[in-house]
Amino acid sequence: MHSPKILVYRPDEVEYYKEIIEKQGITNIYTASTLEEAKSQLPTTEVILCWQFPLELLETPEASSVKWIQSMGAGVDDLVKHPSIPNDIQITRIVDQFGTPISEFVFGYMLYLANDIARTREEQAKRQWTPFHAQLLSGKKIGVAGLGSVGLEIVRKARAFDMEVFGLSMSGAKADRVDHHFGPDQWKSFVQELDYLVLTLPLTEQTRWSVNREVLLSMKPDATLINVGRGALVKESDLIEILQEGHLKAVVLDVFEKEPLPIQHPFWTMPNVLVTPHLSGPSTPEGVGQFFVQNLQKYVEGKPLQGVVRREFGY
Amino acid sequence: MHSPKILVYRPDEVEYYKEIIEKQGITNIYTASTLEEAKSQLPTTEVILCWQFPLELLETPEASSVKWIQSMGAGVDDLVKHPSIPNDIQITRIVDQFGTPISEFVFGYMLYLANDIARTREEQAKRQWTPFHAQLLSGKKIGVAGLGSVGLEIVRKARAFDMEVFGLSMSGAKADRVDHHFGPDQWKSFVQELDYLVLTLPLTEQTRWSVNREVLLSMKPDATLINVGRGALVKESDLIEILQEGHLKAVVLDVFEKEPLPIQHPFWTMPNVLVTPHLSGPSTPEGVGQFFVQNLQKYVEGKPLQGVVRREFGY
């Protein structure tokens, strides 16, 4: 069986990823954590498994043998938009692994807000016994933008919480368990009645800045926005403006136009903005390793890969 | 139609409860918020709708016409254990209304701990961007003690989170969606493998102090205990001891042996104890009013009531 040279690239933990893959009986694996290391390993490399790869290397002669790039993440907007990746290199992304952690993140933060856990923590610190009525998710309206594997897992849990489910799909796909369907031209009517808007879309030319001032102002003033997709789905400058005008009850942001979120960014200190450091859909080494090994098996057998990115759609 | 004299009693908000019931077309309603007021209203009262009623009044001659007491809560251990309530007074409790809020409380706090939201809040305050891997509920083992309407709603949501479900029922009742069933003599084997133990049992002679030192030490050292039933299901002095010995990862307590929790109680400041002021299953005036009016209709028609307390079982 053909055993292609594999380069595993990421800024940290790269040896641990190599170890996990080697344990599955794969050989011919090299690692790199910097541009220089990557450059010296590239010649004769056929397969790249990577996170934050220095993409400019792919237009150099050293990269001429690369045939397949497996991203360690689900979002590949950086790869897709990069002009230097030759068209004959196949790109794949991780699929079907993030529904569980991201949906647990989304429900964790929705329930944190609804139960006002911040308040109970503060009152415990003051030894204060003041029962209050929490909000319920039950009966509330949740809108899920993006009905891929992540969005659908959120929909499934929303059903268990007896929420009314609105779904927006860029492709117009309809899903079981979604009560009201919307397409890409219907953002304003989609968001209008929602108590919670959750963004799980990929970032593409079509989705960039979908949630702009107009859409935000179409939301109810006491609605909550949660972004676990990509930062630039939301026009951040518009979001800051409408928040300063007193619109929206709370915003939970796990992703940002620029990451890490710059230290001077207003989001850090805005009272109803909850910032988390892009942790809702973690690539675990074990999960990535398993996905890659299964795809590698298909690759050497010449079968179609899982998670193939269609660059014309942007994901 | 017979229109019995109704006394609505609670220390606060009593007029609002009266208003809600009156809106349903019920007349002949009186209110009281203190022992004195209750005493003067008792003669000719046939029906009492109450919260924290001064039970000693029920052995006085003024109470001789009382036939039915509808509690505003789900737990009636105070009523059941009180010696002065004549046996011919029927007691009912609210049923089937607390599954939704209590299960949202339980999942809110489990996800708060699993997602380490305390950490993300602290790190935001320091403008610190340090992604970490959250714990997942998926694949974890949850034990629900008490498979009434509250317990079953927790089980239903646990399924949506792909947890393995253990159930303990005092009556030995078995429930769909529960993977492993246990009875009242099996506490130690019930808790042994759990990641989360949730108590929803009523307080009775049989259940008091069920969760004592021996049971607590049978739990895994990194398990989490959540009590939304009654405080005295847990022997608090034993719980404090085993926590001080480093056993258990976290404890969420919404109910206590003595409420409000005394200001000097160690729970307030123990680092892995989350104290909430008995708010997980709130009686809303609207919910109580609706339940009472439906039961009153049955009462005047001579039909069996909902939520009848069987004093021999203690709930």
Side-chain angles (χ1 to χ4, degrees):
Chain A
M1 188 81 79
H2 168 57
S3 170
K5 174 174 172 183
I6 298 164
L7 177 60
V8 182
Y9 180 93
R10 52 182 290 143
D12 58 6
E13 292 186 288
V14 68
E15 292 302 327
Y16 184 51
Y17 278 81
K18 182 187 177 201
E19 222 174 85
I20 282 175
I21 299 162
E22 271 178 339
K23 273 195 195 139
Q24 306 291 314
I26 313 295
T27 56
N28 211 3
I29 310 172
Y30 298 79
T31 61
S33 290
T34 64
L35 185 140
E36 291 67 33
E37 288 172 12
K39 192 167 182 176
S40 77
Q41 293 293 0
L42 259 186
T44 72
T45 289
E46 186 172 334
V47 175
I48 299 177
L49 169 64
C50 62
W51 179 244
Q52 298 177 341
F53 190 80
L55 298 173
E56 58 272 34
L57 287 181
L58 295 172
E59 50 190 339
T60 64
E62 283 89 344
S64 60
S65 54
V66 176
K67 289 192 179 146
W68 169 33
I69 299 175
Q70 168 71 58
S71 165
M72 292 189 187
V76 288
D77 36 285
D78 55 337
L79 286 164
V80 170
K81 77 179 179 216
H82 205 279
S84 66
I85 305 182
N87 277 321
D88 56 347
I89 297 182
Q90 184 161 216
I91 302 173
T92 54
R93 64 193 190 98
I94 306 271
V95 289
D96 297 336
Q97 284 206 351
F98 300 105
T100 296
I102 293 183
S103 63
E104 292 201 16
F105 175 95
V106 167
F107 279 85
Y109 281 83
M110 289 201 299
L111 289 164
Y112 171 77
L113 293 167
N115 281 303
D116 208 345
I117 296 181
R119 176 171 168 179
T120 67
R121 309 318 310 120
E122 280 166 26
E123 294 188 345
Q124 178 172 351
K126 294 187 273 183
R127 299 174 186 239
Q128 203 173 303
W129 181 277
T130 31
F132 59 89
H133 282 191
Q135 303 281 314
L136 294 177
L137 298 190
S138 174
K140 296 296 192 307
K141 293 174 179 168
I142 184 172
V144 181
L147 297 176
S149 63
V150 172
L152 289 178
E153 186 55 34
I154 294 169
V155 168
R156 176 178 163 245
K157 292 194 166 92
R159 282 281 166 222
F161 281 89
D162 305 311
M163 303 179 85
E164 189 176 343
V165 181
F166 295 59
L168 183 141
S169 158
M170 297 304 289
S171 66
K174 301 204 170 183
D176 286 355
R177 296 172 164 156
V178 170
D179 297 302
H180 313 283
H181 283 95
F182 297 82
D185 303 326
Q186 297 175 289
W187 272 96
K188 290 205 302 185
S189 43
F190 168 57
V191 303
Q192 211 169 306
E193 294 180 41
L194 302 178
D195 299 295
Y196 298 90
L197 168 59
V198 184
L199 309 177
T200 74
L201 290 164
L203 183 62
T204 67
E205 283 310 306
Q206 252 198 308
T207 62
R208 176 179 304 274
W209 288 358
S210 287
V211 182
N212 54 23
R213 182 176 177 90
E214 211 184 340
V215 169
L216 288 164
L217 288 179
S218 301
M219 293 175 74
K220 296 195 299 185
D222 62 347
T224 294
L225 167 67
I226 301 176
N227 190 1
V228 288
R230 278 291 184 262
L233 297 172
V234 178
K235 194 169 176 193
E236 289 185 353
S237 55
D238 285 0
L239 177 58
I240 292 169
E241 262 179 40
I242 67 102
L243 284 169
Q244 283 168 343
E245 291 160 15
H247 203 74
L248 296 191
K249 183 159 74 183
V251 179
V252 180
L253 301 173
D254 188 47
V255 288
F256 302 89
E257 290 187 358
K258 187 169 185 326
E259 294 179 11
L261 186 64
I263 196 134
Q264 292 309 332
H265 199 287
F267 283 155
W268 285 115
T269 53
M270 293 179 82
N272 41 2
V273 176
L274 283 77
V275 170
T276 58
H278 200 152
L279 49 66
S280 69
S283 308
T284 64
E286 291 72 18
V288 165
Q290 189 187 23
F291 189 92
F292 175 67
V293 168
Q294 285 170 358
N295 243 355
L296 184 67
Q297 185 68 24
K298 294 191 171 79
Y299 178 81
V300 296
E301 291 172 3
K303 292 181 182 166
L305 304 185
Q306 281 288 307
V308 171
V309 172
R310 294 162 305 173
R311 297 197 214 181
E312 66 278 24
F313 295 122
Y315 64 93
Chain B
M1 188 80 76
H2 168 56
S3 172
K5 175 174 171 182
I6 298 164
L7 177 59
V8 182
Y9 181 94
R10 52 183 291 142
D12 57 6
E13 292 186 289
V14 68
E15 292 301 326
Y16 184 51
Y17 279 81
K18 183 187 177 202
E19 222 174 84
I20 281 176
I21 299 161
E22 272 178 339
K23 273 197 195 138
Q24 306 291 313
I26 312 296
T27 56
N28 212 5
I29 309 173
Y30 298 79
T31 60
S33 291
T34 64
L35 185 141
E36 291 68 33
E37 290 172 12
K39 193 169 183 175
S40 76
Q41 293 293 359
L42 260 186
T44 73
T45 289
E46 187 174 331
V47 175
I48 299 177
L49 169 64
C50 63
W51 178 244
Q52 298 180 338
F53 190 80
L55 298 172
E56 58 273 34
L57 287 180
L58 296 172
E59 51 190 338
T60 65
E62 285 89 343
S64 60
S65 55
V66 175
K67 290 193 179 145
W68 168 35
I69 299 175
Q70 169 71 58
S71 165
M72 293 188 186
V76 288
D77 36 286
D78 54 337
L79 287 163
V80 169
K81 75 179 180 216
H82 205 279
S84 65
I85 305 181
N87 276 321
D88 57 346
I89 297 181
Q90 183 161 217
I91 302 172
T92 53
R93 64 193 189 97
I94 305 270
V95 288
D96 297 337
Q97 284 204 353
F98 299 105
T100 296
I102 294 184
S103 64
E104 292 201 15
F105 175 94
V106 167
F107 279 85
Y109 281 83
M110 288 200 301
L111 288 165
Y112 171 76
L113 293 167
N115 281 302
D116 207 346
I117 296 183
R119 174 172 169 178
T120 67
R121 310 317 310 121
E122 280 165 27
E123 294 188 344
Q124 178 173 351
K126 295 188 273 183
R127 300 176 187 237
Q128 203 173 303
W129 180 277
T130 32
F132 60 89
H133 282 189
Q135 303 281 316
L136 295 177
L137 299 190
S138 173
K140 296 295 191 307
K141 294 174 178 168
I142 185 172
V144 181
L147 297 176
S149 64
V150 172
L152 290 179
E153 186 55 33
I154 294 169
V155 168
R156 177 177 161 246
K157 292 195 166 94
R159 281 282 166 221
F161 281 88
D162 306 310
M163 303 179 84
E164 190 176 342
V165 182
F166 295 59
L168 182 142
S169 158
M170 298 305 288
S171 66
K174 300 206 169 181
D176 286 354
R177 295 172 165 159
V178 170
D179 297 301
H180 314 282
H181 284 94
F182 297 83
D185 303 326
Q186 297 176 288
W187 273 96
K188 289 204 302 183
S189 43
F190 168 56
V191 303
Q192 209 168 305
E193 294 180 41
L194 302 179
D195 299 295
Y196 299 91
L197 168 60
V198 184
L199 309 177
T200 74
L201 290 163
L203 183 62
T204 67
E205 284 310 307
Q206 251 199 309
T207 62
R208 176 178 305 273
W209 288 357
S210 288
V211 181
N212 55 22
R213 183 177 174 87
E214 210 183 340
V215 169
L216 288 164
L217 288 180
S218 302
M219 294 175 72
K220 295 195 301 185
D222 62 347
T224 295
L225 167 67
I226 301 176
N227 190 1
V228 289
R230 278 289 183 266
L233 297 173
V234 178
K235 193 167 177 196
E236 288 185 352
S237 56
D238 285 0
L239 177 57
I240 292 169
E241 264 179 38
I242 67 102
L243 284 168
Q244 283 167 344
E245 292 161 13
H247 204 73
L248 297 189
K249 182 159 74 182
V251 179
V252 180
L253 300 173
D254 189 47
V255 288
F256 302 89
E257 290 187 359
K258 188 169 187 324
E259 295 179 9
L261 185 65
I263 196 136
Q264 293 307 334
H265 200 287
F267 282 155
W268 286 114
T269 52
M270 292 178 83
N272 41 1
V273 176
L274 282 76
V275 170
T276 58
H278 200 152
L279 49 66
S280 68
S283 308
T284 65
E286 292 71 19
V288 166
Q290 189 189 23
F291 189 92
F292 175 67
V293 168
Q294 286 169 1
N295 242 356
L296 184 67
Q297 185 68 23
K298 295 190 169 80
Y299 178 82
V300 297
E301 292 171 2
K303 292 181 182 165
L305 304 184
Q306 280 288 306
V308 171
V309 173
R310 295 161 305 171
R311 298 197 214 180
E312 66 278 25
F313 295 122
Y315 63 95

